[in-house]
Amino acid sequence: MDGSPATPHILSMHRPAKPKPQTPPHLSTGYAVRVSVFFGALFLIYGVYLPYMPLWLKGQGLSVGQIAIITATPYILRDLVTPAVAFYADRTANHRRTIIMLAWIGVAATLALSQTSGFWPILIFAVAASIAMTTTMPLTEVIALHGMKTTGYDYGRVRLWGSLTFVVANVGAAEVIARTGSSSVVWMLAAAFAITLIAAHFLPRADRDMSQSEGTHALSLGMAARLAVTPLFVLFLIAGGTVQAAHATYYTFATLHWTSQGITPLIIGALWALGVIAEVVLFAFSGRVVAWIGIRGLLITAAASAVIRWTAMSVDPPLWALFPLQLLHGMTFGAAHIAAIHFMSQAVPEKLAGTAQALYASVGMGLAMAIATLISGVLYERFAGGAYLGMAGLAALGLIAALAMARLWRGGYVIELHIQKA
C-alpha cells in the first residue's frame, strides 16, 4: 500500500480485458502439456463412473429406485455446491489448490465406498465422489482458458485428450469388469482419482498470474449474483444448456433403443465411438473453426444441427443413416462446448471465470440435463424413439436463445464490475 485512498477498478462490459503478452513458445508448450495431462487424468474418472457406477451399485444389492436416487442426487446438489466451490476458488484466487482438495475428497470417498454397504452410507460417499468429479471440471476450464488467453494455444487440442482417455477408460474398464466382476469398479475409480490427484500437482499456477493481472480485488457474492442474472449471460445459459441437455434421450436410451431394433452390440459400440471421433476431430481444429465462423456462429450452428439430428432420430432412421447422424455429435456436443468455452473467455471478466464456468456446468447444463432426463424417461416410455422429437424441441429453444444472444452481444464483457482495488 502506498497510502493513497482505494480507487474503483472498473472492468468494462464494452470491451474485454487488455491483451496479455505472449508467453515464449517453450513455456506455452509446457502449459498446454500439463493441462492436457490433467484433462486426460480427469476423464479417466468420467470414463469409469458414468457407464459403470450403476453396475457397481446393482452389485451392492441396491434396487432400481435406490440406484436412481443415488444417480439423481448429485445433479440436484451440484447446483448449489459447484457454484459455491467455484466462487470460493475465484475469491481466494487458488483454483489449483481447490482442485487438489477435490481430488483428495474423491480418493477418500471411493476408498470409503469400497468398505461400505447399505443404501445411506453408499449414498453419502457416492454423491461426494460424483460432486468432487463434476466440480473439478469448471475449475480446470478456468486454468485452461487462462492458458489460452496468455499463451495462445488452441483450447480444443488441449481438451481433446479428455475425450480420448474417456474412450480408453470406457473400453479398459469393460475388459476389467468382464474378468473380475463389477466389484472392481470402485477400485478403478479410486485409482483414477489418485492419478488425477497426482496430475493436479503439476497444473500450472495460473492463479498468481490472474491475481497480478487484476490486482487484489474483494470479489463479493453480489458480483457473482449479478453475473447470474445478467440478461446476456442468461441467454447464453439457455442456449448452451438446452443444446447440451437435448442429448438426454441419446445418453440415456440410445443403446436400449438400438438394441430393441436388433442392432448388434458391436455396431452400437461403433456408433458411440464415431460420435466421440467426430468430437475429437472438431476439438483438434477448433481454433481455426472459431476464427472462421465466430463464437456466435458456432453456437447457432450447434443448435441448428441439434434440431436436425434429433428430428431425424425421432423417425427411427435406417442403420445406414445412423452413421452420418452420429457424425453430427461433433457439432451438437463439440461445437456447443467450444462456443461456450470461448464465449466465457471473452465475455466474462477473469475474476469471475470460475463462477461463470460453474454456473454453466451446474445450472446451464446440470439442471437442464436433469430436467431433460426426467422428460426423456416419460417420453421414451410412451413413444420410444419418438422421444427424440422432444429433444429437437428443446434444441429449437436453444437455437432461439442463441440467435437472440448473437443479436445483442457485441463481443465485450456482459457485465461491468466496480471493484475496490487495494
Side-chain angles (χ1 to χ4, degrees), residues 181-208:
S182 63
S183 61
S184 60
V185 170
V186 71
W187 294 106
M188 287 188 285
L189 278 174
F193 268 111
I195 292 171
T196 302
L197 174 60
I198 294 170
H201 284 84
F202 293 93
L203 278 170
R205 296 179 180 273
D207 301 291
R208 292 183 300 188

Side-chain angles (χ1 to χ4, degrees), residues 45 59 66 76 128 153 161 183 187 208 219 231 235 277 296 315 355 376 381 395 409:
I45 305 173
Q66 289 173 326
I76 300 169
Y153 66 57
W161 292 102
S183 61
W187 294 106
R208 292 183 300 188
L219 181 62
L235 280 174
I277 291 170
R296 288 167 288 194
V315 299
T355 302
S376 291
E381 186 175 24
W409 185 48

Side-chain angles (χ1 to χ4, degrees), residues 235-261:
L235 280 174
F236 159 70
L237 290 179
I238 294 172
T242 52
V243 172
Q244 294 290 6
H247 291 79
T249 299
Y250 169 66
Y251 289 155
T252 310
F253 298 110
T255 297
L256 179 62
H257 189 60
W258 288 335
T259 300
S260 71
Q261 292 177 307

Side-chain angles (χ1 to χ4, degrees), residues 14-40:
H14 304 296
R15 54 181 175 81
K18 186 185 298 182
K20 298 179 177 62
Q22 290 296 305
T23 302
H26 68 286
L27 295 180
S28 172
T29 301
Y31 196 115
V33 168
R34 285 186 283 171
V35 176
S36 297
V37 168
F38 185 79
F39 269 126

